Amino acid sequence: MTITVRDLRLADEPRWRELWAGYLDFYEYPDLDPKITANTWAMLSGERADVFGMVAEADAGAVIGFVHGVVHANTWIDKPICYLEDLFVDPSVRGQGAGRALIEALIAHAKANDWGQVYWRTAETNPARKLYDQVADKIDFVTYVHALSPKTV
Protein backbone atom coordinates (compact mmCIF):
# COMPACT_ATOMS: atom_id res chain seq x y z
CA MET A 1 0.00 0.00 0.00
CA THR A 2 1.27 3.45 -0.93
CA ILE A 3 0.54 6.09 1.71
CA THR A 4 0.56 9.81 1.14
CA VAL A 5 0.07 12.51 3.74
CA ARG A 6 -1.52 15.85 2.98
CA ASP A 7 -3.16 18.75 4.79
CA LEU A 8 -6.68 18.26 6.06
CA ARG A 9 -9.39 19.61 3.71
CA LEU A 10 -12.97 20.69 4.35
CA ALA A 11 -14.16 17.78 2.19
CA ASP A 12 -12.52 15.37 4.67
CA GLU A 13 -15.03 16.17 7.41
CA PRO A 14 -17.29 13.08 7.08
CA ARG A 15 -14.36 10.66 7.07
CA TRP A 16 -12.54 12.64 9.75
CA ARG A 17 -15.62 12.34 11.97
CA GLU A 18 -15.66 8.55 11.46
CA LEU A 19 -12.00 8.27 12.39
CA TRP A 20 -12.45 10.71 15.29
CA ALA A 21 -15.22 8.49 16.68
CA GLY A 22 -12.83 5.53 16.49
CA TYR A 23 -10.16 7.56 18.25
CA LEU A 24 -12.58 8.48 21.04
CA ASP A 25 -13.59 4.83 21.40
CA PHE A 26 -9.93 3.80 21.59
CA TYR A 27 -9.36 6.22 24.47
CA GLU A 28 -12.70 5.28 26.05
CA TYR A 29 -14.35 8.66 25.49
CA PRO A 30 -17.25 7.65 23.20
CA ASP A 31 -19.61 10.05 25.00
CA LEU A 32 -17.50 13.17 24.50
CA ASP A 33 -19.77 16.19 24.25
CA PRO A 34 -20.54 16.77 20.54
CA LYS A 35 -19.68 20.45 21.08
CA ILE A 36 -16.07 19.41 21.70
CA THR A 37 -15.98 17.49 18.42
CA ALA A 38 -17.52 20.46 16.59
CA ASN A 39 -14.99 22.81 18.17
CA THR A 40 -12.11 20.49 17.28
CA TRP A 41 -13.21 20.35 13.65
CA ALA A 42 -13.66 24.13 13.58
CA MET A 43 -10.12 24.65 14.86
CA LEU A 44 -8.63 22.16 12.41
CA SER A 45 -10.51 23.45 9.39
CA GLY A 46 -10.32 27.15 10.22
CA GLU A 47 -7.70 29.77 9.82
CA ARG A 48 -5.86 29.20 13.10
CA ALA A 49 -2.13 29.00 12.57
CA ASP A 50 -1.56 27.21 15.88
CA VAL A 51 -3.85 24.19 15.31
CA PHE A 52 -3.70 22.05 12.18
CA GLY A 53 -4.39 18.60 10.84
CA MET A 54 -3.03 16.23 8.24
CA VAL A 55 -4.48 13.01 6.85
CA ALA A 56 -2.99 9.83 5.46
CA GLU A 57 -4.43 8.48 2.22
CA ALA A 58 -4.11 4.96 0.87
CA ASP A 59 -3.57 4.07 -2.80
CA ALA A 60 -7.08 4.93 -3.98
CA GLY A 61 -7.18 8.22 -2.09
CA ALA A 62 -9.15 6.85 0.85
CA VAL A 63 -8.41 8.71 4.10
CA ILE A 64 -7.11 6.14 6.60
CA GLY A 65 -5.74 8.25 9.43
CA PHE A 66 -5.09 11.67 10.85
CA VAL A 67 -2.66 13.65 12.96
CA HIS A 68 -3.39 16.93 14.74
CA GLY A 69 -0.77 19.41 15.87
CA VAL A 70 -0.79 22.38 18.22
CA VAL A 71 2.04 24.90 17.92
CA HIS A 72 3.02 26.94 20.96
CA ALA A 73 5.81 28.87 22.62
CA ASN A 74 8.23 27.22 25.03
CA THR A 75 10.45 28.62 27.76
CA TRP A 76 13.30 26.14 27.18
CA ILE A 77 13.65 26.52 23.42
CA ASP A 78 13.87 29.77 21.49
CA LYS A 79 11.53 28.53 18.75
CA PRO A 80 7.90 27.45 18.67
CA ILE A 81 7.31 23.77 19.38
CA CYS A 82 4.62 21.38 18.19
CA TYR A 83 2.51 19.13 20.37
CA LEU A 84 1.24 16.12 18.46
CA GLU A 85 -2.23 16.22 20.04
CA ASP A 86 -3.98 13.33 18.28
CA LEU A 87 -2.90 10.48 16.02
CA PHE A 88 -5.23 7.77 14.77
CA VAL A 89 -5.13 5.17 12.02
CA ASP A 90 -8.08 3.06 10.90
CA PRO A 91 -7.69 -0.31 12.68
CA SER A 92 -8.16 -2.19 9.38
CA VAL A 93 -4.86 -0.82 8.03
CA ARG A 94 -2.69 -0.55 11.13
CA GLY A 95 0.84 -1.83 10.88
CA GLN A 96 1.16 -0.82 7.22
CA GLY A 97 3.01 2.45 7.69
CA ALA A 98 0.29 5.09 8.01
CA GLY A 99 1.17 6.02 11.60
CA ARG A 100 4.85 6.37 10.74
CA ALA A 101 4.00 8.39 7.62
CA LEU A 102 1.84 10.78 9.65
CA ILE A 103 4.52 11.29 12.30
CA GLU A 104 7.25 11.76 9.69
CA ALA A 105 5.10 14.27 7.78
CA LEU A 106 4.47 16.22 10.98
CA ILE A 107 8.19 16.24 11.77
CA ALA A 108 8.98 17.38 8.21
CA HIS A 109 6.39 20.16 8.57
CA ALA A 110 8.02 21.21 11.86
CA LYS A 111 11.47 21.28 10.26
CA ALA A 112 10.17 23.29 7.29
CA ASN A 113 8.72 25.85 9.72
CA ASP A 114 11.91 25.92 11.84
CA TRP A 115 10.14 24.79 15.01
CA GLY A 116 12.23 23.53 17.91
CA GLN A 117 10.67 20.10 18.50
CA VAL A 118 7.68 17.81 18.12
CA TYR A 119 6.48 15.98 21.21
CA TRP A 120 3.50 13.93 22.35
CA ARG A 121 2.14 11.85 25.18
CA THR A 122 0.31 8.55 25.13
CA ALA A 123 -1.08 5.90 27.39
CA GLU A 124 1.45 3.46 28.87
CA THR A 125 -0.60 0.61 27.36
CA ASN A 126 -0.84 2.03 23.83
CA PRO A 127 0.48 -0.62 21.40
CA ALA A 128 1.66 2.19 19.09
CA ARG A 129 4.51 2.77 21.54
CA LYS A 130 6.49 0.22 19.50
CA LEU A 131 6.45 2.76 16.67
CA TYR A 132 6.97 5.77 18.94
CA ASP A 133 10.09 4.15 20.41
CA GLN A 134 11.52 4.00 16.87
CA VAL A 135 10.86 7.61 15.88
CA ALA A 136 11.38 9.60 19.10
CA ASP A 137 13.03 9.55 22.50
CA LYS A 138 10.97 8.75 25.58
CA ILE A 139 11.61 11.20 28.42
CA ASP A 140 10.92 10.85 32.14
CA PHE A 141 8.18 13.38 32.74
CA VAL A 142 4.83 12.57 34.31
CA THR A 143 1.67 14.38 33.26
CA TYR A 144 -0.57 15.87 35.94
CA VAL A 145 -4.01 17.28 35.18
CA HIS A 146 -6.15 19.48 37.39
CA ALA A 147 -9.50 19.37 35.62
CA LEU A 148 -11.37 22.66 35.47
CA SER A 149 -14.30 21.17 33.60
CA PRO A 150 -15.86 17.69 33.38
CA LYS A 151 -14.31 14.92 31.26
CA THR A 152 -10.94 16.57 30.74
CA VAL A 153 -8.51 14.01 29.34
Side-chain angles (χ1 to χ4, degrees), residues 33-113:
D33 187 331
K35 288 189 278 186
I36 302 297
T37 294
N39 183 64
T40 299
W41 176 255
M43 287 190 298
L44 292 168
S45 62
E47 296 296 320
R48 288 186 63 158
D50 62 334
V51 181
F52 64 95
M54 298 176 176
V55 295
E57 291 182 322
D59 300 323
V63 173
I64 58 171
F66 63 72
V67 65
H68 304 150
V70 178
V71 182
H72 63 89
N74 186 276
T75 60
W76 291 15
I77 298 173
D78 63 353
K79 298 178 180 186
I81 64 174
C82 181
Y83 177 52
L84 187 164
E85 179 86 28
D86 310 300
L87 174 70
F88 186 75
V89 173
D90 187 311
S92 69
V93 294
R94 285 191 187 145
Q96 298 182 49
R100 179 182 294 273
L102 286 161
I103 292 170
E104 289 175 351
L106 183 63
I107 291 169
H109 185 69
K111 287 179 180 177
N113 284 284

